[in-house]
Coordinates of all heavy atoms in Angstrom, one line a residue:
A65 N -4.8 19.1 -14.1 CA -5.5 20.2 -14.6 C -7.0 20.0 -14.5 O -7.7 20.9 -14.1 CB -5.2 20.5 -16.1
M66 N -7.5 18.8 -14.7 CA -8.9 18.5 -14.6 C -9.4 18.6 -13.2 O -10.4 19.1 -12.8 CB -9.2 17.1 -15.2 CG -10.7 16.8 -15.2 SD -11.8 18.0 -16.1 CE -11.3 17.6 -17.8
Q67 N -8.5 18.1 -12.3 CA -8.8 18.2 -10.8 C -8.9 19.6 -10.4 O -9.8 20.0 -9.6 CB -7.8 17.4 -10.0 CG -7.9 15.9 -10.1 CD -6.8 15.2 -9.5 OE1 -5.6 15.6 -9.5 NE2 -7.1 14.0 -8.9
A68 N -8.0 20.4 -10.9 CA -8.0 21.9 -10.5 C -9.3 22.5 -11.0 O -9.9 23.4 -10.2 CB -6.8 22.6 -11.1
V69 N -9.8 22.2 -12.1 CA -11.1 22.7 -12.6 C -12.2 22.3 -11.7 O -13.0 23.2 -11.3 CB -11.3 22.3 -14.1 CG1 -12.7 22.6 -14.5 CG2 -10.3 22.9 -15.0
E70 N -12.3 21.1 -11.4 CA -13.4 20.6 -10.5 C -13.3 21.2 -9.1 O -14.3 21.5 -8.5 CB -13.4 19.1 -10.5 CG -13.7 18.4 -11.8 CD -15.0 18.9 -12.4 OE1 -16.1 19.0 -11.7 OE2 -15.1 19.3 -13.6
H71 N -12.1 21.3 -8.6 CA -11.9 21.9 -7.3 C -12.4 23.4 -7.3 O -13.1 23.8 -6.4 CB -10.4 21.9 -6.9 CG -9.9 20.6 -6.5 ND1 -8.8 20.4 -5.8 CD2 -10.3 19.3 -6.9 CE1 -8.5 19.1 -5.7 NE2 -9.5 18.4 -6.3
R72 N -12.1 24.1 -8.3 CA -12.6 25.5 -8.5 C -14.1 25.5 -8.5 O -14.7 26.4 -7.9 CB -11.9 26.1 -9.7 CG -12.2 27.6 -9.8 CD -11.3 28.3 -10.8 NE -11.1 27.7 -12.1 CZ -10.0 26.9 -12.4 NH1 -9.1 26.7 -11.6 NH2 -9.9 26.4 -13.6
K73 N -14.7 24.6 -9.3 CA -16.2 24.6 -9.4 C -16.8 24.3 -8.0 O -17.9 24.9 -7.7 CB -16.6 23.5 -10.4 CG -16.3 23.8 -11.8 CD -16.8 22.7 -12.7 CE -16.5 22.9 -14.2 NZ -16.9 21.8 -15.0
I74 N -16.3 23.4 -7.2 CA -16.8 23.1 -5.9 C -16.7 24.4 -5.0 O -17.7 24.7 -4.4 CB -16.1 21.9 -5.3 CG1 -16.4 20.6 -6.0 CG2 -16.4 21.8 -3.8 CD1 -15.5 19.5 -5.7
K75 N -15.6 25.0 -5.1 CA -15.4 26.2 -4.2 C -16.3 27.3 -4.7 O -16.9 28.0 -3.9 CB -13.9 26.7 -4.3 CG -13.0 25.8 -3.5 CD -11.6 26.2 -3.7 CE -10.6 25.2 -2.9 NZ -9.2 25.6 -3.1
N76 N -16.5 27.5 -6.0 CA -17.4 28.5 -6.5 C -18.9 28.3 -6.1 O -19.7 29.2 -6.1 CB -17.3 28.6 -8.0 CG -16.0 29.3 -8.5 OD1 -15.3 30.0 -7.7 ND2 -15.6 29.1 -9.7
A77 N -19.2 27.0 -5.9 CA -20.6 26.6 -5.5 C -20.8 26.7 -4.0 O -21.8 26.4 -3.5 CB -20.9 25.2 -6.0
G78 N -19.7 27.1 -3.3 CA -19.8 27.3 -1.8 C -19.3 26.1 -1.0 O -19.4 26.2 0.2
G79 N -18.8 25.1 -1.7 CA -18.2 24.0 -0.9 C -16.8 24.2 -0.5 O -16.1 25.2 -0.9
I80 N -16.3 23.3 0.3 CA -14.9 23.3 0.7 C -14.2 22.2 -0.1 O -14.7 21.1 -0.2 CB -14.8 23.0 2.2 CG1 -15.4 24.1 3.0 CG2 -13.3 22.8 2.6 CD1 -15.7 23.8 4.5
C81 N -13.1 22.5 -0.7 CA -12.3 21.5 -1.4 C -10.8 21.7 -1.1 O -10.3 22.8 -1.4 CB -12.6 21.6 -2.9 SG -11.9 20.3 -3.9
E82 N -10.2 20.7 -0.6 CA -8.8 20.8 -0.2 C -8.0 19.6 -0.6 O -8.5 18.5 -0.7 CB -8.7 20.9 1.3 CG -9.4 22.1 1.9 CD -8.7 23.5 1.6 OE1 -7.5 23.5 1.2 OE2 -9.4 24.5 1.7
V83 N -6.7 19.8 -0.9 CA -5.8 18.7 -1.1 C -5.2 18.4 0.3 O -4.8 19.3 1.0 CB -4.7 19.1 -2.1 CG1 -3.6 18.0 -2.2 CG2 -5.2 19.5 -3.4
V84 N -5.2 17.1 0.6 CA -4.7 16.7 1.9 C -3.5 15.8 1.8 O -3.6 14.8 1.0 CB -5.9 16.0 2.7 CG1 -5.3 15.2 3.9 CG2 -6.9 17.0 3.1

Side-chain angles (χ1 to χ4, degrees):
M66 184 59 70
Q67 287 171 325
V69 167
E70 294 305 312
H71 290 199
R72 190 167 40 266
K73 287 178 182 178
I74 291 168
K75 289 176 181 179
N76 287 343
I80 297 167
C81 188
E82 299 291 340
V83 175
V84 169

